[in-house]
């Protein structure tokens, strides 16, 4: 198991390097002059030239590339072009904000949708099953930002039951932050419920029809024991994989929801960095999302290996 | 008319002051315009009061002139007037309770909080919350801020400002003329380089400065007030590039306590403010770059006020009975620029065709829901006292437009129009595209990634005057905010290269602008402006379809916010009524 984890970590380092290279290429194909963009249209040309020299965007591409790779592995992304703040002071708070929203969304979504999937699988092709499947299909087919906008209009603006801005005031306690985050989290719950419920339903149906489930039943185990000890352990692997991928998306991809609720997570940080040509922030934030992706898939693999002895066995070879 | 009193006043004034007094006495300007012009040139309130008293009911303000820039227009729906109270003056309304936190949802700053280099409303807001100007030129009248009195010399080329004493920076150090000299010297190399040179500002003593201009300007105080936000007075050791969040200071009503460029800013009241202790304890700005989010924030109770918003996307506010929209009528406008130097628009008949192809009333009604004034392809708005109303208004004439295009050999012209994603401009671009289709033009529209970055303002040919800022394009739309006088539009967009997107060169126009700027009396300004209007309308480097009203809104329990025509707020006398 230890070797398996080490192998995954080594592969993550390579992935990080590839990701850093892709980010570097992407930011260097963005059109325009960084100095002019940052200093504004009224800045003197001399100041623009001086700024570009100061931040190194007038250096040879290879030199800039080596610097950017060094930054990735030292986790020192320098200062934001836009605000002059250290990049870590921008992306780490954004990471925590994204984490808060993602955790709340998953804390609600995972138990509800897995339970709904199991419930539907055990009633395959019955009304309850169709209700879960169709509801899930309907909710997951609506873009999350549309759901967010509707929830915002109804619950926050019209009924005033939620907070329009999801960023709580500084100093708000953890419990006190929940009401602020609940409505955007619900938008994500609605978006992901169907997806995760259908995955778990499919896995459980496979498990219910498997030979090992039949053998376990013939051995005299109760339905509950068969479900807990055999079916769930096997059938949840695809669901866990899906969840791990969604974790990364929740950290960096929910720009629409963040925009609707004026929430400043990693998604909107990346968006703003792109539009303002803030390369250090863009690099730092994208790589942070990449690290989150890798960590979440690593954790998912470890959980799957823990749940499924066959995976552990393969990993140890 | 009390001639004895009137003559006594006349004997003790300068020629510039005399012209303003005579203009009022003869009914050529209204009382409001008299106050505006009088305050601009430093006429004291007792003198102006004496003139008004001497003129008595012969001149009750109904004659001549029009509302001053920044004045209020008749509101539509559940709106009220606003935007004309002095930041350091008395409160706009009574019954304001002491205390409370005013939550404002504002545009996200597009750049660092650098007072000299800032160029957007999002940055103006936090910076001007902490810093003050020499004068307050918000409501058209020019009133004291850090300067208590000011006066020009005989030809308006040298201005003397007497500074307020006892003002302290937020760190407790005293404000003196050295701060003003340093600020003006910094601005001489950037924002005020058309008006002053480095070293042109001298401290006569600790609280008196003398500014020698490059050329006479009877309206110079407008350059050191809120319509020129970069002219905020900063400490003497505030170097170019120093930002407010790096060095939290100011002389303003609020002190910056926390700033996060992504999320917002908080300020605490400055109990030692020269304007008196503010009613509010705190200000909280929440930044957003999405109008829908801002509107939801105000409607959903997450904010008490919203900075400048557009009718497009903000109509929910206009229709909300719980909110109050304040309207500032002015000269803010959009310019549809056409490159006069190269490309398909060098022939003025093509540019005229575009102008004749516009249905201005439809644009005004559709995009602004009537909240604006129709323009006539020049930047002189009807609110200016020297506006020449006798000029015929250009109306849509599709046949004439087609003929002009045909005569120029450009029938069926295809062109790409570039525009920023700013307020109603995308809708304007779409409708202009549709209207120009009627005259046979095939216009493709393309939105720029940024509002006013290099895509619009890149100096792509700085060796050839005017260099201009058009990103190398031929056709586009650009925004111009409200100014108290039209000098910025006339000089920067038309007469020099700095913002001259159209690359327009016209020596007669430049001469007329020079004549306007050097005129110290209203008649001289009117004559020059008449020429300016005619040349701009004829040459059409910029088709200008309308002047839009500035809108901002707040809840009913908020009062006393003073907004500039550029959109930023003064909250020194703002508060809650309940």
């Amino acid at each position: 198991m230890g070797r398996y984890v080490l192998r995954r970590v080594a592969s993550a380092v390579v992935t990080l390097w590839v990701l850093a290279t892709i980010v570097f290429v992407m930011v260097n194909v963005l059109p325009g002059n960084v100095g002019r963009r940052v200093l504004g249209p009224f800045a003197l040309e001399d100041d623009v030239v001086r700024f570009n020299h100061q931040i190194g965007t007038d250096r040879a591409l290879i030199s800039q590339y080596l610097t950017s790779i060094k930054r990735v592995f030292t986790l020192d992304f320098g200062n934001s072009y836009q605000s002059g703040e250290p990049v870590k002071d921008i992306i780490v708070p954004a990471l925590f904000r994204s984490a808060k929203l993602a955790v709340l969304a998953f804390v609600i979504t995972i138990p509800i949708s897995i339970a709904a999937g199991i419930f539907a699988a055990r009633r395959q092709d019955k009304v309850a099953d169709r209700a879960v499947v169709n509801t899930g299909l309907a909710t997951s087919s609506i873009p999350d930002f549309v759901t967010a906008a509707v929830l915002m209009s109804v619950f926050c603006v019209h009924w005033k039951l939620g907070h329009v801005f999801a960023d709580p005031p500084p100093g708000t306690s953890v419990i006190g932050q929940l009401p602020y985050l609940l409505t955007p989290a619900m938008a994500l719950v609605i978006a992901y419920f169907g997806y995760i419920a259908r995955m778990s339903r499919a896995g459980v149906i496979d498990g219910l029809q498997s030979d090992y489930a039949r053998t376990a039943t013939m051995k005299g185990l109760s339905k509950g024991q068969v479900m807990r000890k055999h079916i769930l352990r096997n059938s949840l692997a695809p669901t866990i994989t899906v969840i791990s991928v969604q974790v990364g998306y929740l950290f960096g991809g929910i720009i629409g929801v963040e925009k609707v609720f004026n929430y400043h997570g990693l998604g909107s940080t990346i968006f703003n960095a792109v539009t303002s040509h803030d390369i250090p922030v863009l690099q730092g934030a994208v790589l942070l999302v990449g690290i989150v992706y890798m960590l979440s898939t690593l954790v998912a693999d470890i959980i799957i290996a823990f749940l499924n002895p066959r995976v552990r066995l393969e990993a140890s070879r | 008319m009390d001639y004895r009193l009137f003559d006594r006043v006349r004997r003790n004034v300068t020629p510039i002051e005399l012209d303003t007094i005579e203009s009022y006495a003869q009914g050529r300007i209204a009382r409001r315009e008299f106050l505006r012009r009088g305050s601009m040139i430093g006429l004291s309130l007792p003198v102006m009061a004496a003139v008004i008293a001497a003129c008595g009911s012969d001149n009750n303000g109904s004659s001549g002139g029009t509302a001053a820039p920044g004045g209020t227009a008749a509101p539509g729906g559940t709106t009220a007037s606003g935007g004309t109270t002095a930041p350091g003056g008395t409160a706009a309304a009574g019954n304001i309770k002491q205390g409370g936190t005013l939550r404002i949802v504002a545009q996200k700053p597009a750049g660092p909080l650098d007072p000299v280099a800032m160029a957007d409303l999002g940055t103006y807001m936090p910076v001007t919350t902490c810093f003050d100007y020499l004068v307050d030129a918000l409501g058209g009248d020019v009133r004291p801020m850090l300067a208590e009195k000011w006066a020009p010399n005989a030809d308006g080329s040298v201005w003397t400002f007497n500074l307020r004493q006892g003002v302290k920076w937020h760190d407790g150090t005293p404000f003196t003329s050295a701060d003003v000299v340093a600020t003006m010297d910094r601005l001489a190399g950037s924002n005020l380089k058309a008006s002053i040179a480095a070293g042109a500002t001298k401290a006569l003593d600790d609280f008196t400065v003398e500014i020698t201009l490059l050329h006479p300007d009877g309206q110079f105080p407008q350059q050191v007030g809120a319509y020129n936000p970069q002219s905020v007075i900063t400490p003497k050791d505030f170097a170019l590039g120093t930002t407010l969040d790096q060095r939290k200071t100011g002389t303003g009503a609020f002190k910056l306590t926390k700033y996060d460029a992504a999320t917002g800013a908080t300020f605490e009241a400055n109990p030692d403010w020269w304007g008196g202790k503010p009613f509010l304890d705190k200000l909280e700005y929440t930044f957003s770059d999405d109008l829908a989010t801002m509107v939801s924030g105000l409607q959903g109770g997450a904010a008490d006020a919203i900075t400048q918003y557009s009718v497009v996307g903000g109509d929910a506010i206009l229709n909300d009975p719980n909110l109050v929209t304040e309207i500032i009528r002015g000269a803010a406008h959009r310019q549809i620029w056409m490159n006069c130097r190269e490309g398909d628009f060098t022939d003025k008949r093509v540019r005229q065709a575009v102008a004749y192809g516009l249905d201005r009333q439809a644009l005004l009604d559709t995009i602004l829901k009537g909240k604006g004034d129709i323009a006539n392809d020049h930047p002189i708005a009807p609110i200016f006292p020297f506006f020449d109303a006798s000029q015929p208004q250009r109306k849509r004439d599709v046949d004439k437009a087609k003929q002009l295009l045909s005569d120029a050999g450009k029938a069926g012209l295809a062109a790409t129009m570039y525009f920023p994603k700013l307020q109603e401009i995308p809708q304007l671009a779409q409708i202009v595209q549709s209207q120009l289709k009627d005259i046979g033009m095939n216009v493709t529209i393309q939105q720029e990634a940024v509002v006013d970055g290099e895509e619009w303002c890149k100096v792509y040919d700085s060796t050839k005057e005017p260099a201009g800022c058009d990103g190398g394009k031929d056709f586009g739309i650009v925004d111009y905010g409200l100014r108290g006088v039209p000098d910025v539009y006339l000089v920067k967009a038309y007469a020099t290269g700095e913002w001259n997107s159209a690359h327009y060169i016209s020596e007669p126009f430049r001469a007329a602008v020079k004549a306007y700027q050097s005129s110290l009396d209203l008649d001289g300004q009117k004559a020059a402006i008449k020429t300016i209007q005619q040349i701009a309308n004829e040459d059409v480097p910029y088709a200008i379809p309308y002047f839009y009203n500035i809108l901002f809104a707040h809840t009913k329990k908020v009062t006393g916010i003073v907004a500039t025509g550029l959109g930023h707020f003064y909250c020194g006398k703002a508060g809650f009524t309940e």
Side-chain angles (χ1 to χ4, degrees), chain A residues 5 11 78 117-118 139 142 164 172 182 185 204 227 236 241 249 272 277 316:
Chain A
V5 173
S11 132
I118 296 169
T139 55
I142 303 170
V164 175
T172 309
L182 195 58
V204 171
M227 181 62 74
L236 282 186
T241 306
Y249 180 73
N272 294 334
H277 232 108
S316 64

Side-chain angles (χ1 to χ4, degrees), chain B residues 15-46:
Chain B
I16 298 175
E17 292 166 342
L18 184 60
D19 172 72
T20 303
I21 291 169
E22 293 282 7
S23 296
Y24 176 66
Q26 292 165 16
R28 287 185 288 127
I29 56 174
R31 180 183 297 166
R32 177 158 184 75
E33 178 57 16
F34 170 63
L35 292 171
R36 188 186 80 80
R37 294 177 70 83
S39 60
M40 175 103 68
I41 58 175
L43 270 179
S44 68
L45 275 176

Side-chain angles (χ1 to χ4, degrees), chain B residues 299-449:
Chain B
Q299 289 192 298
D304 304 303
I306 180 174
T307 51
Q308 184 188 351
Y309 73 94
S310 59
V311 171
V312 174
D315 47 352
I317 295 177
L318 287 170
N319 299 326
D320 191 327
N322 298 314
L323 301 174
V324 178
T325 286
E326 311 237 22
I327 296 174
I328 304 173
R329 188 179 173 222
H333 61 276
R334 314 300 188 190
Q335 295 182 351
I336 302 172
W337 52 269
M338 292 165 273
N339 193 334
C340 306
R341 189 170 66 188
E342 55 210 340
D344 290 320
F345 295 91
T346 51
D347 188 327
K348 79 175 178 187
R349 289 173 296 186
V350 179
R351 305 195 298 267
Q352 287 172 342
V354 170
Y356 279 112
L358 299 178
D359 184 342
R360 294 153 207 265
Q361 190 64 52
L363 290 170
L364 186 66
D365 292 344
T366 310
I367 300 172
L368 299 181
K369 296 204 168 19
K371 292 189 166 41
D373 295 293
I374 285 184
N376 202 15
D377 301 324
H378 58 71
I380 311 300
I383 50 134
F384 290 125
F386 33 69
F387 170 72
D388 177 16
S390 66
Q391 182 182 40
Q393 172 65 48
R394 177 170 277 140
K395 291 188 174 144
R396 191 175 206 223
D397 189 335
V398 172
D399 292 336
K400 187 169 184 175
K402 282 181 175 171
Q403 188 60 49
L404 284 164
L405 278 178
S406 175
D407 293 348
K410 296 286 183 185
L413 175 66
T416 301
M417 182 165 65
Y418 296 84
F419 63 95
K421 181 177 181 285
L422 177 69
Q423 297 173 1
E424 91 292 353
I425 292 181
Q427 284 72 29
L428 172 63
Q430 285 174 347
I431 300 178
V432 166
Q433 178 190 36
S434 162
Q435 291 183 350
L436 295 185
K437 199 172 181 181
D438 295 344
I439 66 166
M441 274 184 71
N442 180 17
V443 176
T444 304
I445 56 176
Q446 185 164 325
Q447 184 174 298
E448 297 291 7

Side-chain angles (χ1 to χ4, degrees), chain A residues 32-33 42 82 259 264 272, chain B residues 108 110 262 287 289 293 454 499:
Chain A
N33 180 320
F42 312 129
Q82 200 69 23
K259 283 274 173 201
H264 301 91
N272 294 334
Chain B
K108 185 180 288 184
F287 297 143
D289 47 15
T293 305
E454 64 175 330
W499 296 347

Side-chain angles (χ1 to χ4, degrees), chain B residues 216-233:
Chain B
D217 185 353
Q219 304 187 91
F220 178 69
Q222 287 281 1
Q223 299 289 329
V224 288
Y227 285 114
N228 188 16
Q230 294 80 3
S231 70
V232 287
I233 302 299

